[in-house]
Amino acid sequence: MKIFADSISDIPQSWIDQYDIGIVPLYVVFGDSAYKDRIEITTNDIYRRVEESGELPHTAAPSPADFAAAFSPWIEQGRKIIFISMSSKLSSTYQSAMIAASELPEGSVHVVDSLNVSGGIALLVMKAALAARAGKSASDIVSILQEKRDRVEIEVLVDTLSYLHKGGRVSNLQHMIGSLLKIRPVLRIKEGVVISADKYRGKTEKAVERLLQRITENIHKIDHDLIIVAQTLADKTAHYIKSALLERTDVKEVAIIEGGCAISCHCGPRTVAIMYMNRQLSY
């Protein structure tokens, strides 16, 4: 068994090495130039180029040929592939992987739509990797992922409206008012799409405390195995969140990961996000 994800999953290299996870990179596109995410361009490169040009890049899905090239060597070794894609409602990555799977030996590739991004995918990848190590079959793992994906919660605290404004997601007036009032939006994933779920006014520290309060008040509903904190140029805030969660709850592990091109392109620097999995769908 070989577990694959796309680069939007933001899985740290240590997990990739430890659990033998394959990564298929998306492309970050500036003008006429496309760069393989995490291979030919980094988060810091993206911010530098945005500052220099004032223009945001966009992301492009890997092609079916990219997926076939990534999967084929493992299939030739007799291993089955489980690919956990970013949300099909946000990218054509899922469709490209499905096309590649249809052209490879039947039953060799299983494609799962995570309906998530970033650490939300990473949570599912870790569940899949642990299930594979426990000897679960490919079909069993697919069933596990399909059941758990709707339990994933993502809360993204955006520090600046500038990137959302450049990307056309807030108007000039919203940007001006929001900047003056120091409004920080909270984005969430709902049924595979990004929604604006809340707005916090004031200092980042105050917004972080409100996020932490919401999580700690509902900690009995949350899977205690792993919470992920993603950050882009917000390392100090991310470590504070980690320490607070470990002190205030009995969660076993809080991992900090670097938000990659998805968070960087759309949310901008100093963004922090908390990803966790609910124990069940309704309470």
Side-chain angles (χ1 to χ4, degrees):
M1 191 81 65
K2 177 79 171 178
I3 308 298
F4 270 87
D6 52 52
S7 60
I8 294 293
S9 61
D10 297 336
I11 299 171
Q13 189 63 45
S14 59
W15 293 1
I16 291 171
D17 295 339
Q18 183 177 355
Y19 295 98
D20 189 29
I21 298 165
I23 300 294
V24 181
L26 275 78
Y27 293 90
V28 179
V29 182
F30 278 95
D32 297 327
S33 300
Y35 306 90
K36 288 185 177 181
D37 182 30
R38 297 176 60 162
I39 297 173
E40 298 172 339
I41 195 167
T42 67
T43 300
N44 286 337
D45 292 333
I46 291 172
Y47 290 143
R48 176 180 55 79
R49 294 191 63 155
V50 171
E51 288 299 316
E52 290 173 353
S53 67
E55 296 183 4
L56 288 182
H58 67 271
T59 56
S63 68
D66 290 331
F67 282 108
F71 297 159
S72 293
W74 302 100
I75 294 172
E76 291 169 2
Q77 294 178 23
R79 296 175 69 174
K80 290 186 180 295
I81 304 292
I82 295 178
F83 172 68
I84 305 169
S85 167
M86 72 176 291
S87 174
S88 63
K89 298 180 182 180
L90 299 174
S91 168
S92 60
T93 301
Y94 174 79
Q95 287 78 8
S96 290
M98 289 292 287
I99 292 170
S102 70
E103 296 173 349
L104 292 167
E106 186 176 355
S108 61
V109 179
H110 301 262
V111 181
V112 178
D113 183 355
S114 73
L115 297 176
N116 280 281
V117 296
S118 188
I121 306 172
L123 286 170
L124 294 169
V125 169
M126 294 305 295
K127 294 292 186 184
L130 291 171
R133 283 197 170 183
K136 297 287 187 182
S137 68
S139 59
D140 285 343
I141 295 173
V142 169
S143 296
I144 289 169
L145 294 171
Q146 289 173 337
E147 188 274 330
K148 290 186 179 297
R149 65 187 175 187
D150 292 329
R151 300 186 186 187
V152 174
E153 299 282 352
I154 297 178
E155 304 203 35
V156 184
L157 178 62
V158 179
D159 184 70
T160 172
L161 294 175
S162 295
Y163 276 59
L164 294 173
H165 176 237
K166 289 174 183 175
R169 291 170 178 82
V170 299
S171 68
N172 288 336
L173 180 61
Q174 288 173 319
H175 181 225
M176 180 183 70
I177 295 174
S179 298
L180 288 172
L181 297 179
K182 295 183 179 179
I183 291 175
R184 293 172 171 81
V186 174
L187 308 178
R188 295 191 182 122
I189 298 289
K190 182 73 171 178
E191 297 178 350
V193 299
V194 180
I195 63 170
S196 177
D198 210 340
K199 294 183 179 69
Y200 295 144
R201 180 179 173 183
K203 294 183 178 180
T204 300
E205 293 81 3
K206 181 180 178 181
V208 167
E209 284 301 329
R210 289 181 65 182
L211 277 182
L212 285 169
Q213 181 181 358
R214 205 180 81 80
I215 291 174
T216 53
E217 288 176 350
N218 292 280
I219 196 65
H220 61 286
K221 302 177 182 179
I222 295 172
D223 184 333
H224 287 195
D225 287 341
L226 174 65
I227 292 178
I228 292 176
V229 181
Q231 59 84 24
T232 63
L233 303 185
D235 190 64
K236 183 177 179 180
T237 302
H239 276 89
Y240 173 76
I241 293 171
K242 175 179 179 176
S243 297
L245 287 171
L246 290 173
E247 290 171 4
R248 302 176 194 179
T249 74
D250 56 356
V251 171
K252 296 176 183 176
E253 181 180 2
V254 179
I256 295 175
I257 66 174
E258 182 178 4
C261 68
I263 290 179
S264 303
C265 292
H266 301 300
C267 299
R270 299 178 301 282
T271 294
V272 291
I274 305 175
M275 294 88 165
Y276 55 91
M277 188 176 294
N278 285 320
R279 289 179 170 176
Q280 55 188 26
L281 293 175
S282 59
Y283 310 102

